[in-house]
Amino acid sequence: MAGIFWKTRFVLVPLRRIMTNLGKRDMTSGAVRPTKTSRQGHGRALVWFRGDLRCHDNPALEAASQFAGGDGVLGLFLLTPDEWHRHDMSAAKVDLILRTLRVLRGDLQKRFGIPLLVLPATKADTAKTITDLCPRHAFQAAFWRVESEADERA
C-alpha cells in the first residue's frame, strides 16, 4: 500500500482518511489575515501547536499575538503519524487529538481571527515544512512551546 499511514497494534489508518475526517480543505489552507487587534506589531507570526492544543493561557499563542499585533498570526499543527506510531500512541488518543484540533480551529478563528493550518509531516521534514512556510507567508517570527515525550528527555 502506498501513502503515509498511522498505525498501532490495532489500527492502520491512511493519512488521507485522517485529513478527510479533519476537513482537509478547511484545515490545510488559509491565508494569514490581520488578527483581531488594532495594535501595530513587528510583523507576521507563526504559532506551531504541538501538544498544547488550547487557546486559553497558551504562552506561545500569547507571545505570537503580542509580537504580531495586528499584522497577522497563523496557527500550524503538523500531523506526524510516524511519531504517533513510534510513541505507540493509542487510537483513542489520536482520535482525541483530531477532535481537539477541530475545536482549536474554531476557537482560534472565532476568538482571534487566526486560521489554523494542518499539514502532514514526518519527523525528518518537520523543520523543512516550517521553514518553507516562513517566506511564503512573510513570517518574521515563529513561536511554540517546548515539549518532549518521556523517552526524548535527557
Side-chain angles (χ1 to χ4, degrees):
M1 290 189 272
I4 301 172
F5 292 89
W6 164 77
K7 66 181 182 176
T8 69
R9 287 171 271 186
F10 312 107
V11 182
L12 180 66
V13 180
L15 183 59
R16 180 176 45 240
R17 193 166 98 202
I18 292 172
M19 294 295 287
T20 300
N21 290 341
L22 276 172
K24 183 177 179 180
R25 287 178 300 243
D26 295 334
M27 300 289 276
T28 60
S29 64
V32 178
R33 293 179 292 282
T35 52
K36 292 181 178 177
T37 179
S38 59
R39 236 180 51 242
Q40 182 63 24
H42 302 289
R44 293 180 171 181
L46 174 71
V47 179
W48 176 21
F49 289 93
R50 298 175 71 203
D52 191 357
L53 302 177
R54 61 193 167 108
C55 288
H56 177 72
D57 196 29
N58 185 313
L61 179 59
E62 185 177 328
S65 297
Q66 287 177 358
F67 176 88
D71 294 337
V73 175
L74 175 70
L76 172 68
F77 183 85
L78 298 176
L79 293 169
T80 54
D82 60 329
E83 286 297 291
W84 297 344
H85 175 63
R86 193 169 76 78
H87 292 289
D88 201 26
M89 192 177 290
S90 71
K93 185 167 182 181
V94 171
D95 182 60
L96 176 64
I97 290 169
L98 299 177
R99 286 185 287 123
T100 304
L101 282 172
R102 285 189 200 107
V103 172
L104 176 65
R105 179 183 70 183
D107 287 350
L108 284 171
Q109 190 63 53
K110 184 177 174 182
R111 293 174 64 193
F112 307 107
I114 296 173
L116 178 66
L117 187 64
V118 177
L119 299 173
T122 63
K123 184 174 183 173
D125 68 2
T126 297
K128 182 177 179 353
T129 301
I130 293 171
T131 56
D132 287 350
L133 280 174
C134 289
R136 193 174 340 151
H137 292 282
F139 292 124
Q140 299 300 312
F143 298 85
W144 65 91
R145 184 167 172 224
V146 176
E147 301 169 10
S148 300
E149 294 291 335
D151 65 338
E152 295 174 343
R153 295 183 193 129

